[in-house]
Amino acid sequence: MVDKASEKVLSVDELATFCKRKGFVYPSGEIYGGLAGLYDYGHFGTLLKRNFEQTWRNYFLRLADNYVEIEASEIMPEKVFVASGHLKNFNESSAVCKKGHIERADHLLEAKAKKRFEGLTATELFAKIKEQGVMCSTCGGSIEKVEALTMMFPLSLGVVNPTRAYLRPETAQSPYVDFKLQAEVMRKKFPLGIALVGKAYRNEISPRNFILRQRAFTQAELQIFFNPSKINEYEDFGAVSSYHLRVVLSDQREKEIQLITCKDLAKRIPRFYVYHLAKVQQFYLDVLKFPVEKFRLYELDEKERAFYNKYHFDMEANLDTLGWTEIGGVHYRTDHDLKGHQEISKQKLEVFDEESKERFIPHVLELSFGVDRNFYALLNFAYTPDAKRENIVLKLPAFLAPVKVAVFPLISKGSGMELARRVYEELREEFSTSFDVSGSIGRRYARQDEVGTPFCITIDEESVKDKSVTVRERDSTKQIRVKVDALTETLRKLVAGKIAFTKAGKVVETRVK
């Protein structure tokens, strides 16, 4: 977020330093020097990440009656990736300089030309590098060759006659492999959604930009299996028909972001797809509260998107110093995946829909979210230097904040401390709660501001008398008095955004901000 006092923007290194200092994210195995592209989430980071994941579940699994979540193995048989095409096609082009330094070829080009170079072969990328005069970013030497390298992590399972397997490079294949069983259990009612939140692994050539490009990362994906003959007949489309999408269309990029209604976009893209595109945008703007001007849906053209995707929009966030950055995608994968698994497994994945009396291999609409990238975007937008308070304020939505409430006793012993402990114990049964007795009240507020705690409670001598506490709101620093007996219910409403802060209690004079 821009610091209005200095007009500086938040750099990747600055956010990484903040995350390490405050216990959000830090390099994995750092005492041994760490490994590139691998990070650990500290206690605050883990809470924020889990809150995002649960918010994602609560929203997307409720879009239809037949959307459910599974958990699957991160290690999968080799044949899975023969069927999916990963063993043949899941490569990245590496640029090798005369001194042997290796970097992603497309990243080198993008840094030089300030434009995308998706979908090019290694030969085409090498030609572009020579044409643009791109040099090695490490040593400044010339690029000698560009070659394709697999991004898969192979494994050998067992000791005698070991079995070849792989760490999954995407979570999507697990729902496809499990589709046959799940469809039977779910009585073949379509559309049928199978969600998975879990780890995926890619042997990135040049991990970069902190947690935005890692070798082990978390995805939240919903694979929606549906009858392709009904792709334009979705009954819920009317609810979004007049809703405006913020899009960059593949054949109209000179116009940049356009506002286009779902009804108008459905003239070129099927209704079932457009409906879920709208729901994705509403998730970001209405639920996560992304700044409207910092979000867009970017359409990839035929050359840029994966060969099996018929339609493909990326969700993008405009991040400080990085510009527009992909944080997820909506992909119409047709029947590519199930057809491939049917061929290799020799298991029939065709279904008969009792309602329509049709037999078909389901098509798949994939809603894919990079959890770590969304985590980064949330911090980027929340990170707010405050000149008056002389500290960072992490302005996260209350329901996402790692710690929801902090309790500060202003009396070090006796009945005041007893009341403070009782309030703390009651609140922690429902909320992630902190208890802090160290330092001045201003310092205690500052510590909680920096980790995004939306509400702080102080217990003083008056609290012992009238059984009320003072609640302070993070962003406004306003304060209200609330009865102890009503405190849990009041905080429940405040965290859920169901009541305005100044309506939740008696407003009192703010002494320490």
Side-chain angles (χ1 to χ4, degrees):
M1 177 173 284
V2 176
D3 176 358
K4 293 181 179 179
S6 63
E7 293 302 318
K8 289 177 61 179
V9 293
L10 179 63
S11 70
V12 175
D13 289 342
E14 187 178 356
L15 184 57
T17 299
F18 171 82
C19 283
K20 179 181 175 181
R21 178 171 62 86
K22 301 307 296 184
F24 281 86
V25 186
Y26 35 77
S28 180
E30 187 181 30
I31 63 171
Y32 293 102
L35 288 171
L38 297 173
Y39 289 89
D40 292 345
Y41 280 74
H43 65 297
F44 287 131
T46 297
L47 287 168
L48 174 56
K49 187 179 180 185
R50 286 178 179 171
N51 289 343
F52 169 81
E53 291 170 355
Q54 193 56 47
T55 300
W56 183 90
R57 290 183 178 97
N58 291 343
Y59 182 86
F60 286 100
L61 294 185
R62 292 174 182 172
L63 291 183
D65 293 337
N66 220 28
Y67 290 2
V68 298
E69 181 183 4
I70 65 169
E71 182 175 335
S73 173
E74 297 168 10
I75 300 172
M76 304 187 77
E78 183 177 41
K79 285 186 176 181
V80 168
F81 304 109
V82 173
S84 68
H86 281 83
L87 284 183
K88 181 180 179 181
N89 299 309
F90 200 62
N91 305 308
E92 289 291 358
S93 294
S94 63
V96 185
C97 77
K98 60 183 180 181
K99 290 188 177 180
H101 298 126
I102 300 176
E103 298 179 72
R104 278 271 298 268
D106 57 335
H107 290 172
L108 278 176
L109 272 170
E110 288 167 6
K112 172 77 173 182
K114 308 300 181 186
K115 58 185 276 190
R116 299 175 184 234
F117 289 91
E118 296 171 310
L120 299 184
T121 65
T123 301
E124 290 170 334
L125 285 168
F126 187 55
K128 288 284 185 183
I129 284 173
K130 292 302 181 184
E131 176 187 308
Q132 297 277 340
V134 177
M135 298 294 180
C136 174
S137 66
T138 302
C139 68
S142 63
I143 302 300
E144 298 297 307
K145 61 180 178 179
V146 174
E147 56 188 4
L149 296 179
T150 182
M151 297 177 71
M152 300 277 285
F153 280 112
L155 295 172
S156 182
L157 304 183
V159 179
V160 180
N161 300 319
T163 299
R164 182 79 161 180
Y166 288 86
L167 288 173
R168 64 187 182 198
E170 62 176 11
T171 59
Q173 295 307 316
S174 298
Y176 303 151
V177 170
D178 291 350
F179 168 74
K180 182 179 175 65
L181 285 170
Q182 281 295 140
E184 289 295 335
V185 172
M186 297 167 69
R187 300 168 61 190
K188 299 178 183 176
K189 293 182 178 180
F190 296 93
L192 184 157
I194 302 178
L196 194 150
V197 180
K199 286 284 189 181
Y201 303 86
R202 296 178 185 177
N203 195 12
E204 290 282 351
I205 295 167
S206 52
R208 61 176 186 168
N209 289 338
F210 189 32
I211 58 173
L212 291 179
R213 189 170 294 278
Q214 303 180 75
R215 290 186 168 124
F217 54 94
T218 304
Q219 290 180 308
E221 295 191 326
L222 175 61
Q223 309 297 327
I224 306 171
F225 303 85
F226 64 95
N227 182 342
S229 71
K230 295 186 176 182
I231 195 168
N232 259 316
E233 302 174 8
Y234 199 50
E235 59 184 13
D236 292 336
F237 183 78
V240 301
S241 178
S242 59
Y243 180 70
H244 284 83
L245 296 169
R246 295 174 53 80
V247 302
V248 177
L249 298 177
S250 60
D251 57 347
Q252 300 174 36
R253 290 182 183 167
E254 72 283 355
K255 297 181 181 179
E256 297 185 344
I257 296 175
Q258 298 182 62
L259 293 180
I260 183 170
T261 65
C262 291
K263 181 179 180 180
D264 287 337
L265 187 60
K267 294 175 183 178
R268 58 185 272 166
I269 296 174
R271 289 187 170 196
F272 188 72
Y273 185 100
V274 175
Y275 171 83
H276 286 89
L277 206 60
K279 288 301 172 182
V280 164
Q281 179 172 295
Q282 289 171 349
F283 175 68
Y284 281 104
L285 301 186
D286 300 342
V287 179
L288 298 184
K289 306 298 183 183
F290 271 33
V292 174
E293 72 280 3
K294 299 285 188 179
F295 177 82
R296 72 182 187 185
L297 297 163
Y298 187 93
E299 185 182 23
L300 274 62
D301 63 27
E302 186 175 0
K303 191 172 185 179
E304 294 167 335
R305 62 181 181 252
F307 69 93
Y308 50 77
N309 277 342
K310 189 170 183 179
Y311 303 108
H312 181 154
F313 277 80
D314 281 341
M315 297 89 84
E316 294 189 339
N318 195 358
L319 305 177
D320 290 0
T321 74
L322 295 171
W324 290 105
T325 303
E326 175 195 349
I327 54 176
V330 180
H331 316 129
Y332 176 23
R333 300 177 67 128
T334 67
D335 61 358
H336 165 79
D337 299 283
L338 291 188
K339 187 180 288 185
H341 287 300
Q342 178 173 268
E343 180 181 349
I344 299 299
S345 70
K346 308 304 180 186
Q347 295 286 316
K348 192 172 183 180
L349 300 181
E350 190 178 66
V351 298
F352 181 74
D353 185 357
E354 291 287 349
E355 183 179 328
S356 64
K357 306 302 181 184
E358 294 179 83
R359 189 173 297 280
F360 55 89
I361 292 180
H363 283 211
V364 175
L365 178 64
E366 175 183 65
L367 310 185
S368 177
F369 299 73
V371 172
D372 309 278
R373 292 187 171 206
N374 279 271
F375 181 100
Y376 185 105
L378 286 167
L379 289 181
N380 181 97
F381 297 142
Y383 185 97
T384 309
D386 190 298
K388 291 183 179 179
R389 292 184 238 184
E390 298 182 343
N391 61 274
I392 301 301
V393 181
L394 203 59
K395 295 185 176 181
L396 292 164
F399 65 91
L400 288 175
V403 176
K404 301 293 187 288
V405 58
V407 177
F408 303 153
L410 301 183
I411 306 171
S412 60
K413 57 185 177 180
S415 56
M417 180 61 78
E418 290 175 4
L419 177 60
R421 292 299 307 186
R422 179 164 70 84
V423 168
Y424 169 67
E425 293 297 339
E426 289 178 1
L427 291 178
R428 71 191 299 219
E429 291 183 6
E430 183 164 343
F431 308 103
S432 52
T433 308
S434 175
F435 190 84
D436 192 353
V437 299
S438 176
S440 68
I441 187 62
R443 187 61 248 160
R444 283 185 254 181
Y445 281 149
R447 281 196 288 263
Q448 297 302 321
D449 287 345
E450 287 191 323
V451 298
T453 305
F455 306 107
C456 293
I457 295 171
T458 52
I459 288 96
D460 53 20
E461 292 181 356
E462 194 66 28
S463 299
V464 178
K465 297 175 182 177
D466 66 4
K467 297 297 184 288
S468 295
V469 298
T470 300
V471 182
R472 179 251 201 190
E473 184 183 43
R474 177 196 64 208
D475 295 348
S476 69
T477 72
K478 291 180 179 179
Q479 297 180 2
I480 57 175
R481 291 287 285 185
V482 178
K483 289 289 185 182
V484 171
D485 291 345
L487 188 57
T488 298
E489 178 61 24
T490 299
L491 286 170
R492 188 182 296 130
K493 291 178 180 178
L494 287 170
V495 169
K498 293 182 177 180
I499 187 173
F501 182 73
T502 54
K503 300 293 185 183
K506 181 182 178 182
V507 178
V508 297
E509 179 184 353
T510 301
R511 297 175 182 174
V512 179
K513 295 186 177 182

